Amino acid sequence: MSATRPAPESPSKAEAGAAPGRYETVVGLEVHAQLKTASKIFCCCSTKFGARPNTQVCPICLGLPGVLPILNERAVRFAVMTGIAVGGTIAVRSVFARKNYFYPDLPKGYQISQYDRPLCSGGTVEIHVGGAWKRIGLVRIHLEEDAGKSLHPEGRQGVNTTLVDLNRSGVPLIEIVSEPEIRSGAEAYDYLIRLKQILVYLDVCDGNMEEGSLRCDANVSVRPRGQSVFGTKTEIKNMNSFRNVERAIAFETERQIRLLESGGRVVQETLLWNADKGKAEPALDRIRALRAARASASGAGAAHARLRHSGIRRRGPDRDARPGFLL
Amino acid sequence: MPIDAKVVQQVAVLARLQVEASEEARLVKELTSILSYVEQLQDLDVSGIEPTSQVGEGTKAPLREDEVKPSNVRDEALAQAPDRDGDYFRVPQVV
Amino acid sequence: MTKKPDPLETAESIGRAVRNRERSAVEVARVFVERAERSAPRLSTYLHRDGARTLEMAAEVDRRLESGEKLSPLAGVPIALKDNLCTHGIPTTCGSRILEGYLPPYDAHVVERLRAAGAVFTAKTNCDEFAMGSSTENSAYFPTRNPWDLDRVPGGSSGGSAATVAALEASLALGSDTGGSVRQPAAFCGVFGLKPTYGAVSRYGLVAFASSLDQIGPFARTARDVALLFNEICGRDERDMTSRSDATPIDLESLERGVRGMKIGIPRDLLSVGVDPEITASLDRVTKKLSGEGAEILDVTLPHARYSIATYYLIAPAEASSNLARYDGVRYGFRAKSDDLQTMYASTRGKGFGREVRRRILLGTYALSAGYYDAYYLRAMKVRTLVRRDFDQALLRADAILLPTTPTPPFKLGEKVDDPLAMYLNDIFSIPASLAGAPALSFPSGRTRSNLPIGLQLVGRPFDEGTLLRIARTWEKKSGDPLGVPPIANGGART
């Protein structure tokens, strides 16, 4: 996957992945970036990739009874720097909240994230596609903790198990949510390139999708050109490179248009990108659906508890965030 | 919404808490009683009132330095696992 | 080291004698261990006790003193710990089956502090499961009995800690208080119990029930002893972001200064919800005495306090439903066997949690679920603000607020278990201070005609535990009532 700055696109290439003719593609991207802190967001365990399973763990990230989170100053600083770099508004008071759901690699049964008052609101990422610059607006950037890893090996005698490694549990993430202003796979590709450049330049993230330090989910819908009301969107997950994001958006755009043209309706659902087949498939396999769904557990149908905690106060011109505290 | 056995079971699923059919009637009665009692909060005018999620907001405690401090609980913690496979915690597969 | 320790002595005097080498810590510990061996089987105060380990800890204290180490005023003092406080390598069950056999791989902050101070641990005491209850009848193991009447409850959720101090199985104890769980059992067992200001004591290692309300609190037989224990556990801990450096040790001699010139407020509007006449009589007696000692008694109002039960029983279960989500059978504790994950979760939690815990998890999950969040949880958080403001207002005019700890004297075992709401209504006087995060102290104020303990409560300004203890100390000195020892502590027959 290329990390270099791409040459300005020719007009025909710019249309690649854009909806032909009557329809317009509407895409919003949710990017999760692992922050390059030495220690995890709420405890002092190392964030180093590739360690032997369950060796970078402590009572806090194991979710043992009686533990409390201790917020990492550098994680906050990296998030604030990113927010400033995209020209967003840093919240004077920012609040952590819990996203409650059950999954084996989510040790507390909730993820500490941000809901009502994210660290950063607004901001833009400038992209250059089709020979023109365009601003993609951001909704927000917020801090949250990563979950551990679940492995699903093939079992003996049909008894299947899941193995859980909590080394990754508690690694700091920022979630960067764009407005639905991206209009093609090519624009999405450029957006990701530019966003990665910002993160790498600030040295807050490696920006490596293959290694998982950068992850992207795409929300895709189509609508007739000129219509302001959004069409029904689907969510695509499991894209492991910028090119695959571009391809997946192109595929899904085409699929939705064909569906609508033949009199069908787009169903809101989560799709998993299958890079080998070049298709986005409904997560019919319940295992994969759960795995995919659990990362987006704020969707409809899953009632969620959001408990508000904490505050982060920004003080003075040096822009160091000072905390309230965290439950 | 009035609580009935169906609602109790729906909430039980969200909470991953098994509720036997034999318990449904009792839980409906108890939860209804408690929720009826807390209805009295609707009598109060809370317009313009900020919610308190945490007393003592406004402390300026310093945040933690980004320092790695290895923990040594790993073996003790894994030893408590109801099921394990070497370095991993093991659970029935997500189905 | 010739005199056999008088078990009625205070923690303060035990500590002094041990540090002065008048007695050995082992000698002291032995008395309490033997006493507990006699009374605990009938009171059922503890879930885990290891006499040999207690004596070992005491021997270690003696060794440290022998080597010339300067130890705290608590050195050699036998202290019991509620079973929701994590103790490294020592079972910590929170009164639940879901943590049966669980051994924490770390000590709670307060446990670390007490070890360093040279305290000697006697037992992990019984409690309502995950601190949810007002009678200790919700322990998954067995109920604890009130040392003053074995047919009655010791209160809850820290019933084991309160009873163990009342029966002199330990000189001091720690419990936890979320809606009254230190104060109410203190009142029922006739001892002192303090809920510190929220943030005064680190919660690291306290198994969370409701994070915005939980506080660890001391039980003792005298006001000075409360301060002694509080001083060893209070203050900022970097592992608890809510703990505050504003919490500083109390000067014990400041407790002797009397109440002249102090303003004590009585919230008559709240008392109109209904109080047992004997408790009201005790309140009047104490008020008169304090007034006679030079305090000014005034009326204050807490207009929203009557809504505090409803507020609490939305907020606490909501927070609990989240805090207890980690008990899923994956990494520790009980796991129900199953071939599929969702059944494993549901069955583990369904079987591992008792009735009250399951009730509150369901209630809390419901209150937080989509569609109900605003009407229930959010609204409750706003009413909480109103309750806090009431206290702020009242404490502009008064230095402390005086009111009963409980509406009734200790009730009988089994009397309220089948009616959750009736059980919740016990907390009407203790919950308001919890919602406000204010320090609150229950102190023994007398007896009913049937010799059951009565406790009254003082609520104060943030981090002003000293004022509360000073008022209670004044009553203690002037009341003319000795604290008393329940017959069972002397090997006596049940009353």
Side-chain angles (χ1 to χ4, degrees):
Chain A
M1 187 203 62
S2 160
T4 56
R5 193 190 181 94
E9 321 261 4
S10 65
S12 57
K13 191 152 180 242
E15 304 269 300
R22 333 207 269 116
Y23 288 92
E24 174 179 65
T25 316
V26 176
V27 176
L29 293 181
E30 281 170 23
V31 171
H32 287 87
Q34 276 185 351
L35 296 178
K36 285 177 68 173
T37 55
S39 63
K40 295 184 178 180
I41 189 173
F42 294 121
C43 68
C44 300
C45 289
S46 168
T47 55
K48 265 207 178 65
F49 184 79
R52 191 174 145 203
N54 289 312
T55 54
Q56 284 170 192
V57 293
C58 74
I60 297 171
C61 56
L62 284 169
L64 297 189
V67 296
L68 296 169
I70 328 166
L71 185 54
N72 182 334
E73 182 273 338
R74 187 173 269 140
V76 176
R77 186 143 43 88
F78 281 3
V80 169
M81 283 162 60
T82 307
I84 292 171
V86 297
T89 306
I90 307 299
V92 168
R93 191 172 161 268
S94 173
V95 175
F96 282 94
R98 301 177 179 185
K99 205 184 228 185
N100 293 268
Y101 62 90
F102 289 87
Y103 205 77
D105 58 32
L106 191 69
K108 296 187 293 297
Y110 58 86
Q111 176 198 31
I112 299 178
S113 175
Q114 296 195 287
Y115 178 59
D116 264 2
R117 295 205 195 167
L119 195 52
C120 168
S121 310
T124 57
V125 171
E126 284 199 289
I127 64 174
H128 191 268
V129 174
W133 287 98
K134 177 181 170 183
R135 284 204 158 127
I136 305 297
L138 296 183
V139 177
R140 54 189 273 155
I141 299 177
H142 72 249
L143 269 170
E144 59 184 31
E145 57 178 346
D146 211 343
K149 277 208 172 89
S150 295
L151 288 74
H152 312 277
E154 276 306 301
R156 281 152 279 148
Q157 296 146 355
V159 176
N160 291 327
T161 60
T162 294
L163 302 180
V164 178
D165 170 17
L166 295 176
N167 281 350
R168 200 183 64 180
S169 157
V171 167
L173 300 174
I174 44 173
E175 180 174 335
I176 304 160
V177 182
S178 83
E179 296 279 7
E181 291 171 359
I182 294 169
R183 291 286 171 268
S184 70
E187 288 191 6
Y189 181 89
D190 203 65
Y191 172 86
L192 291 169
I193 293 284
R194 309 275 174 186
L195 186 56
K196 175 181 168 167
Q197 278 176 347
I198 294 168
L199 297 172
V200 169
Y201 175 74
L202 292 175
D203 204 21
V204 302
C205 175
D206 286 331
N208 191 325
M209 278 192 84
E210 279 84 355
E211 272 181 19
S213 61
L214 203 63
R215 295 166 226 162
C216 179
D217 298 334
N219 291 305
V220 181
S221 66
V222 299
R223 65 185 173 189
R225 279 189 200 282
Q227 177 178 301
S228 58
V229 172
F230 289 121
T232 306
K233 67 179 177 195
T234 58
E235 186 184 21
I236 312 176
K237 294 175 163 294
N238 203 41
M239 302 161 290
N240 67 352
S241 72
F242 294 173
R243 278 296 168 217
N244 273 309
V245 172
E246 182 177 10
R247 291 168 66 205
I249 289 169
F251 170 90
E252 180 60 8
T253 301
E254 204 196 332
R255 183 191 78 86
Q256 289 191 13
I257 291 172
R258 264 187 297 140
L259 187 57
L260 294 173
E261 297 279 76
S262 66
R265 270 189 324 164
V266 175
V267 171
Q268 183 172 5
E269 58 184 334
T270 299
L271 305 171
L272 302 180
W273 177 246
N274 186 323
D276 297 331
K277 289 191 197 161
K279 298 169 69 171
E281 300 167 317
L284 289 176
D285 180 306
R286 285 176 69 195
I287 297 171
R288 295 193 300 145
L290 266 157
R291 274 186 240 154
R294 72 33 157 204
S296 67
S298 54
H304 282 287
R306 290 178 173 93
L307 294 177
R308 297 184 182 126
H309 315 253
S310 122
I312 295 178
R313 240 169 262 280
R314 185 178 62 164
R315 243 221 316 234
D318 64 356
R319 298 210 161 154
D320 274 352
R322 290 277 181 270
F325 41 75
L326 191 76
L327 277 171
Chain B
M1 181 216 268
I3 306 279
D4 58 18
K6 183 152 163 280
V7 171
V8 168
Q9 288 295 357
Q10 282 170 347
V11 176
V13 168
L14 283 179
R16 298 299 189 278
L17 210 52
Q18 190 164 293
V19 167
E20 306 292 348
S22 57
E23 302 179 274
E24 283 169 6
R26 176 180 57 80
L27 281 167
V28 167
K29 181 158 160 271
E30 288 169 355
L31 294 175
T32 301
S33 148
I34 296 165
L35 286 166
S36 304
Y37 179 80
V38 303
E39 274 304 302
Q40 60 180 258
L41 294 184
Q42 305 298 329
D43 298 341
L44 289 170
D45 179 10
V46 293
S47 44
I49 306 291
E50 277 294 301
T52 297
S53 55
Q54 178 88 65
V55 294
E57 298 206 52
T59 49
K60 307 282 199 300
L63 290 177
R64 174 177 59 87
E65 289 281 315
D66 184 27
E67 240 186 287
V68 174
K69 287 191 200 149
S71 158
N72 54 5
V73 304
R74 189 245 185 190
D75 293 333
E76 275 182 84
L78 268 174
Q80 309 251 13
D83 190 21
R84 70 190 274 197
D85 183 349
D87 290 329
Y88 295 93
F89 296 99
R90 182 164 60 190
V91 296
Q93 193 169 64
V94 177
V95 161
Chain C
M1 297 197 275
T2 50
K3 189 176 73 155
K4 195 154 172 73
D6 177 356
L8 273 189
E9 278 186 30
T10 61
E12 196 180 350
S13 56
I14 290 174
R16 199 180 303 120
V18 168
R19 270 174 301 142
N20 294 342
R21 320 293 286 125
E22 288 160 28
R23 301 172 219 189
S24 71
V26 169
E27 219 185 314
V28 171
R30 197 167 280 132
V31 170
F32 284 87
V33 167
E34 283 165 6
R35 180 189 302 279
E37 253 147 39
R38 285 196 303 272
S39 60
R42 289 155 67 200
L43 291 179
S44 304
T45 44
Y46 66 85
L47 290 169
H48 181 81
R49 199 172 69 93
D50 184 342
R53 192 208 310 265
T54 301
L55 293 174
E56 246 175 69
M57 280 188 85
E60 177 60 25
V61 173
D62 286 331
R63 275 194 293 276
R64 286 166 73 183
L65 286 168
E66 196 74 35
S67 74
E69 191 180 336
K70 264 211 86 195
L71 288 180
S72 82
L74 281 189
V77 176
I79 301 183
L81 302 171
K82 184 175 181 180
D83 206 31
N84 62 355
L85 288 165
C86 286
T87 42
H88 189 174
I90 299 172
T92 302
T93 69
C94 305
S96 179
R97 292 284 178 197
I98 214 168
L99 283 179
E100 190 165 10
Y102 173 68
L103 303 174
Y106 75 100
D107 274 335
H109 172 79
V110 296
V111 172
E112 278 181 0
R113 296 272 295 270
L114 290 179
R115 281 194 203 276
V120 173
F121 298 150
T122 59
K124 300 298 295 293
T125 58
N126 196 19
C127 56
D128 283 302
E129 189 178 0
F130 285 106
M132 299 186 201
S134 308
S135 65
T136 310
E137 291 169 293
N138 292 329
S139 166
Y141 296 94
F142 38 74
T144 297
R145 293 167 184 278
N146 191 314
W148 292 94
D149 180 339
L150 272 59
D151 289 330
R152 290 180 188 265
V153 302
S157 59
S158 314
S161 279
T164 224
V165 168
L168 288 158
E169 298 171 348
S171 179
L172 299 169
L174 285 183
S176 70
D177 191 311
T178 304
S181 291
V182 163
R183 293 162 284 156
Q184 184 250 28
F188 277 13
C189 291
V191 296
F192 289 77
L194 173 70
K195 181 197 82 65
T197 311
Y198 184 84
V201 179
S202 168
R203 290 177 297 115
Y204 181 73
L206 169 68
V207 179
F209 157 20
S211 314
S212 77
L213 296 160
D214 293 341
Q215 271 295 284
I216 297 168
F219 287 97
R221 299 173 57 78
T222 70
R224 289 173 67 99
D225 278 357
V226 174
L228 211 69
L229 182 46
F230 175 78
N231 288 352
E232 291 302 326
I233 60 174
C234 69
R236 168 126 184 102
D237 169 25
E238 61 178 16
R239 293 167 301 183
D240 175 0
M241 290 180 76
T242 64
S243 69
R244 302 275 295 265
S245 53
D246 303 71
T248 51
I250 298 165
D251 169 19
L252 259 60
E253 296 321 312
S254 73
L255 304 186
E256 307 299 329
R257 293 200 202 125
V259 297
R260 187 156 300 278
M262 276 192 173
K263 294 186 170 57
I264 297 177
I266 316 268
R268 301 255 170 236
D269 58 340
L270 180 58
L271 302 188
S272 63
V273 299
V275 188
D276 182 285
E278 292 196 79
I279 295 181
T280 306
S282 182
L283 179 62
D284 289 341
R285 226 177 291 125
V286 172
T287 308
K288 266 205 190 66
K289 175 61 75 175
L290 293 174
S291 173
E293 290 297 313
E296 185 191 330
I297 310 295
L298 39 106
D299 278 347
V300 294
T301 58
L302 299 171
H304 300 92
R306 65 185 53 241
Y307 295 96
S308 57
I309 293 181
T311 304
Y312 176 85
Y313 280 101
L314 280 173
I315 292 177
E319 296 190 6
S321 70
S322 181
N323 283 324
L324 269 59
R326 69 191 64 196
Y327 305 106
D328 56 11
V330 173
R331 289 145 290 125
Y332 46 79
F334 166 71
R335 180 196 291 193
K337 296 234 178 302
S338 173
D339 285 336
D340 92 86
L341 183 67
Q342 301 306 324
T343 307
M344 189 273 269
Y345 281 152
S347 186
T348 294
R349 292 160 60 79
K351 294 198 171 85
F353 289 136
R355 269 196 191 180
E356 182 63 35
V357 169
R358 292 161 76 224
R359 197 157 34 222
R360 294 200 196 190
I361 290 176
L362 290 171
L363 186 57
T365 305
Y366 181 76
L368 289 174
S369 60
Y372 299 107
Y373 180 89
D374 286 357
Y376 288 128
Y377 185 66
L378 183 60
R379 177 167 277 266
M381 287 203 290
K382 293 180 178 180
V383 177
R384 184 174 182 179
T385 302
L386 295 174
V387 172
R388 286 177 65 194
R389 283 187 191 172
D390 284 356
F391 275 96
D392 290 342
Q393 279 299 307
L395 290 164
L396 288 175
R397 298 174 49 231
D399 297 308
I401 296 168
L402 176 64
L403 72 165
T405 306
T406 61
T408 67
F411 44 90
K412 284 197 185 289
L413 286 156
E415 192 179 314
K416 304 200 186 200
V417 275
D418 292 324
D419 188 351
L421 194 55
M423 188 69 87
Y424 297 167
L425 294 174
N426 271 308
D427 301 332
I428 181 63
F429 299 131
S430 51
I431 286 176
S434 303
L435 294 176
L441 171 72
S442 181
F443 63 96
S445 62
R447 290 286 155 76
T448 66
R449 276 186 301 273
S450 30
N451 206 34
L452 296 173
I454 295 174
L456 297 180
Q457 185 184 190
L458 289 160
V459 183
R461 300 186 185 111
F463 305 105
D464 198 18
E465 285 80 0
T467 294
L468 308 183
L469 286 166
R470 185 167 141 191
I471 298 170
R473 176 71 182 127
T474 305
W475 166 254
E476 193 182 10
K477 279 193 291 205
K478 303 294 180 182
S479 68
D481 287 342
L483 189 60
V485 177
I488 194 170
N490 290 326
R494 56 195 286 170
T495 49

